[in-house]
Amino acid sequence: MQQANLGLIGGGTVGSGVYHALTRNAALLTSRIGVGLGVRKVAVKAFDEPRPYSIPRRLMTTTWQEVVNDPEVHVVAELVGGTSVARTMILEALKLGKPVITANKALLSKHGEELFATAQRHKTNLYYEASVCGGIPIIKSLREGFVGNQITHLYGIVNGTCNYILTRMSREGAEFDAVLKEAQALGYAEAEPSLDIDGFDAQHKTGILASLAHGFWVDPKDIYVEGIRSVTRQDMEFAAKLGYTIKLLGMVKMTAQAPANRKSDRRQVQVSVYPALIPSSHVLASVGDVFNAVFVRGDVVGDTLFYGRGAGKDATASAVLSDFADAVLDLKCGSVNRVPAFVSHEVNGSVVPIDKVVSRYFVRLRVADIPGTLARITRILGDARIGISSVIQPEGQRETFVPLILMLHESPYGAVCAAFEKIRALQVVKGKPVILRVETFG
Ligand code: HSE
């Protein structure tokens, strides 16, 4: 193979970023992989849509089928997002036996099994490095670099918007709403921010990483998700006093628990997304602003850390180029399935229900500052066999209801929720308790 051409579906921020990067580094790439590389066609929404880098008009079409069906397009990159037309585009290309590159985490999360199966049936491959943490080569690392490891723990700061908001709240002592508004004005957060701040984007990415690490397809419905809307300045301040920083973590952890009625060798994995207190001295606590990081612990390699930009035209383009190079090398060597997109290897694995997941906790309550309050609360926790590791009630409060912070020893989430339902019903407790997990990476 002398020359391989990419067909881009999507000519906006990411698509034009890929065009620009490929044009800039085509000679370098060619010298590295021994095949000439170029862009043959780009399907765009409109010829004059705003884009950060220009694309020659002669390459553009507004019909995506022209890209997929062009015999001179050897590899197709789907960069439009969404979960309906994008699915059709990818399926059409795969059915023609063309390798496909996608950055579409929502689509993979929803239809991953179908897409990977279609790729395999048509003896081609689906490449998705850009779908998780843009500029960080975490998919390739998990699939190839750590192929000899059991991935026992994976913790990811995988959403830049949330990390930016939490970083500013922590640095400036600002409230969530104010920082979100500013982030929206600066273009760091979407006008409709729910996908990011309610944790769904992190859910898609964490599910993909979990599936890849453990070899069974994790249904997004099984991933417990909490976003960052409920994190307050006060939580940040108390966490800092106790030596912790709050981060939104995507977590994939092997657990020792096996359900009583099932085979004990059945793989049980915690897969969840929630804001957690992490020690301020831990390396993940220093990952600030829009940066992403993934901490992976393998049973052979030990602890590793990946850091970089998770999104944006250039970081995403870097991942798409890496996939393009892989796709072309596979075509050149006739080895399309040498490294399959996804391999089932723990087909009996399952996700542990969140109620059974054991963690430590930070709980903030508003309570009446009167004799007996603490005794009533601790009695309920004691009866539930939930241990308290520390208690803070800051002095100098003038209101009738004052903050009370409890740090709890390891307990199953279900037991903690049940106990705090009872505590919430006490007359001396006002409002809903804030319950955040504490992750110490043990
Ligand atoms: N909106 C995402 C983020 C990037 O803030 O990290 C795309 O997944």
Side-chain angles (χ1 to χ4, degrees):
M1 176 174 235
Q2 304 288 311
Q3 171 72 27
N5 297 324
L6 183 64
L8 292 168
I9 308 180
T13 303
V14 175
S16 71
V18 171
Y19 177 80
H20 174 81
L22 182 53
T23 310
R24 188 173 75 191
N25 284 348
L28 174 69
L29 271 157
T30 297
S31 67
R32 282 183 174 156
I33 70 168
V35 179
L37 301 178
V39 174
R40 165 89 180 170
K41 265 201 180 100
V42 186
V44 295
K45 256 193 279 190
F47 292 127
D48 55 358
E49 71 182 295
R51 52 180 66 90
Y53 301 112
S54 63
I55 298 173
R57 178 71 191 257
R58 69 187 152 77
L59 297 182
M60 290 196 230
T61 168
T62 50
T63 312
W64 64 265
Q65 289 90 342
E66 278 188 31
V67 173
V68 169
N69 294 320
D70 184 333
E72 290 306 311
V73 167
H74 304 105
V75 179
V76 174
E78 176 277 308
L79 303 171
V80 290
T83 56
S84 54
V85 187
R87 172 174 163 267
T88 311
M89 293 164 170
I90 293 177
L91 288 173
E92 291 292 304
L94 292 174
K95 285 175 188 168
L96 291 172
K98 294 193 181 186
V100 176
I101 297 165
T102 183
N104 195 332
K105 62 227 85 182
L107 180 68
L108 284 177
S109 179
K110 200 166 168 193
H111 297 295
E113 271 184 304
E114 178 197 18
L115 298 173
F116 292 131
T118 307
Q120 219 169 20
R121 226 178 13 259
H122 293 274
K123 300 194 172 17
T124 186
N125 218 339
L126 179 61
Y127 302 81
Y128 53 104
E129 188 62 70
S131 69
V132 181
C133 300
I136 303 174
I138 189 64
I139 300 290
K140 204 174 174 78
S141 301
L142 283 177
R143 192 172 46 201
E144 298 175 49
F146 294 145
V147 68
N149 282 259
Q150 195 73 262
I151 307 298
T152 62
H153 297 72
L154 182 152
Y155 305 89
I157 294 176
V158 295
N159 185 272
T161 306
C162 289
N163 203 37
Y164 175 81
I165 292 173
L166 293 175
T167 304
R168 287 204 46 199
M169 286 174 71
S170 159
R171 264 189 212 145
E172 299 162 25
E175 282 294 3
F176 172 81
D177 286 333
V179 178
L180 173 61
K181 274 204 187 95
E182 269 195 56
Q184 286 171 317
L186 291 167
Y188 292 146
E190 302 285 342
E192 172 37 83
S194 176
L195 185 67
D196 291 313
I197 64 176
D198 292 320
F200 303 120
D201 174 77
Q203 176 192 31
H204 298 150
K205 295 168 181 169
T206 305
I208 293 168
L209 295 178
S211 302
L212 192 54
H214 290 286
F216 65 94
W217 196 252
V218 173
D219 188 327
K221 288 199 294 295
D222 293 335
I223 305 176
Y224 176 79
V225 180
E226 271 175 38
I228 62 166
R229 276 185 209 268
S230 59
V231 177
T232 65
R233 178 178 57 82
Q234 213 175 23
D235 297 323
M236 292 262 175
E237 283 169 7
F238 284 120
K241 280 194 185 121
L242 290 159
Y244 295 97
T245 302
I246 300 178
K247 293 287 184 192
L248 184 77
L249 290 186
M251 311 228 306
V252 184
K253 266 203 241 185
M254 274 174 65
T255 75
Q257 302 158 323
N261 57 347
R262 301 225 180 98
K263 280 197 207 153
S264 61
D265 62 352
R266 191 179 154 93
R267 172 69 53 86
Q268 289 262 288
V269 186
Q270 175 194 347
V271 187
S272 34
V273 172
Y274 47 68
L277 277 72
I278 62 174
S280 298
S281 56
H282 191 271
V283 63
L284 281 181
S286 62
V287 175
D289 299 312
V290 294
F291 279 89
N292 284 194
V294 186
F295 179 93
V296 181
R297 180 172 296 159
D299 65 340
V300 181
V301 70
D303 290 351
T304 62
L305 182 74
F306 299 79
Y307 171 87
R309 281 186 192 278
K313 57 190 189 312
D314 302 320
T316 310
S318 169
V320 172
L321 290 191
S322 161
D323 279 349
F324 185 34
D326 270 350
V328 172
L329 285 172
D330 283 344
L331 288 173
K332 178 183 165 189
C333 302
S335 61
V336 155
N337 269 314
R338 191 185 70 81
V339 184
F342 177 73
V343 182
S344 297
H345 52 91
E346 291 290 346
V347 282
N348 287 322
S350 66
V351 175
V352 188
I354 192 68
D355 282 2
K356 303 225 161 24
V357 170
V358 172
S359 319
R360 295 179 58 212
Y361 300 88
F362 162 102
V363 182
R364 180 168 57 80
L365 298 162
R366 290 187 72 211
V367 300
D369 191 7
I370 56 173
T373 292
L374 204 52
R376 277 178 229 179
I377 293 169
T378 55
R379 190 171 309 122
I380 292 174
L381 291 173
D383 289 348
R385 311 201 62 74
I386 296 171
I388 299 170
S389 59
S390 80
V391 179
I392 306 177
Q393 183 187 317
E395 297 236 14
Q397 307 281 320
R398 287 165 191 272
E399 297 91 17
T400 323
F401 286 89
V402 299
L404 176 70
I405 312 301
L406 303 172
M407 297 293 282
L408 306 180
H409 284 299
E410 285 203 326
S411 308
Y413 183 57
V416 169
C417 285
F420 279 94
E421 275 302 306
K422 290 185 191 158
I423 289 170
R424 187 184 178 178
L426 295 173
Q427 276 195 346
V428 292
V429 174
K430 185 160 185 181
K432 193 170 175 233
V434 171
I435 303 175
L436 297 172
R437 293 160 188 81
V438 179
E439 186 50 63
T440 50
F441 305 94

